[in-house]
Amino acid sequence: METRRPGPTGDTIDTPLYRALGSNSRVTILRLVRKAESGVTAAEVAARTGQHLSTTRAHLDRLAEAALLVKARASGGRPGRPAWRYRATAADPAPTPYRALAAALLEQMSGGGSDVREAAAQVGQGWGRHLAAVSPVHDDPVDSVITVLDGLGFRPRRQPPDTADGAQVNLYTCPFLKLVGQNPDAMCGLHLGVVRGILKRAGTSHESVMLEPFGAPAACVVRLPAALRPAAGKPS
């Protein structure tokens, strides 16, 4: 069982963090990943360090468990199940109530399922509608998305200019890093659902929204369709 003990300054030493950095190999890997803004796969790290792939994966996952790295699947729009990509973390935590809610979701979904990401997105959609209902109203639905995600600690930034395909919003921090390490598919699905819920509350189409982990250097990407027109009926 992990223990926590007071350090010399009166702070608490995070034992998993210190253990994660207790290996020269993991320190080397961490430095390598920090230099790769768009993230790296285990195979890429193994090729650069000369380590066996299974050993590299174990080191990367240990760093992710200590919240020094975050991992997610980045498809780049290609079909099939992509490899995990790892990126160094640099984020502030989300507000406590939202961390608790996300943790409860992970506990509820700990049994797994055929599509954890989509199940989490369904939960997140209700959460997004609620957050949008208590946030300032904007004429542009993209601004509504940015306002809510900013309040959660994602540091969202709209990437100009909008194109014929729609708008792009980059998320430069992940406020749920430790939870992402526990179940990346569920947490990414939850965040996608939040965006869908915000748009549904605004009365616009939301089904074609995409969230692409590591879709840009140093950021995950939310891709919003060009036609964010009011949907039939009033916002729920």
Side-chain angles (χ1 to χ4, degrees), residues 131-203:
L131 293 173
V134 297
S135 297
V137 177
H138 298 280
D139 293 332
D140 185 345
V142 179
D143 289 335
S144 297
V145 170
I146 290 172
T147 295
V148 173
L149 294 183
D150 191 47
L152 287 174
F154 282 97
R155 284 182 55 216
R157 298 290 182 271
R158 190 171 188 162
Q159 302 303 299
D162 291 357
T163 68
D165 294 327
Q168 175 176 320
V169 176
N170 286 5
L171 310 179
Y172 287 98
T173 63
C174 180
F176 300 92
L177 293 176
K178 290 186 178 180
L179 298 178
V180 169
Q182 294 175 32
N183 194 329
D185 285 337
M187 291 307 299
C188 289
L190 178 70
H191 301 158
L192 172 62
V194 168
V195 176
R196 288 177 179 172
I198 298 165
L199 295 176
K200 187 171 184 179
R201 172 70 190 180

Side-chain angles (χ1 to χ4, degrees), residues 97-110:
Y98 302 130
R99 292 203 308 274
L101 180 61
L105 168 68
L106 288 188
E107 184 175 354
Q108 179 182 349
M109 303 183 69
S110 59

Side-chain angles (χ1 to χ4, degrees), residues 29 63 142 175:
I29 289 172
L63 291 167
V142 179

Side-chain angles (χ1 to χ4, degrees), residues 24-36 63:
N24 289 334
S25 293
R26 284 195 288 274
V27 171
T28 298
I29 289 172
L30 180 60
R31 289 172 178 166
L32 188 156
V33 178
R34 282 176 171 168
K35 292 179 180 178
L63 291 167

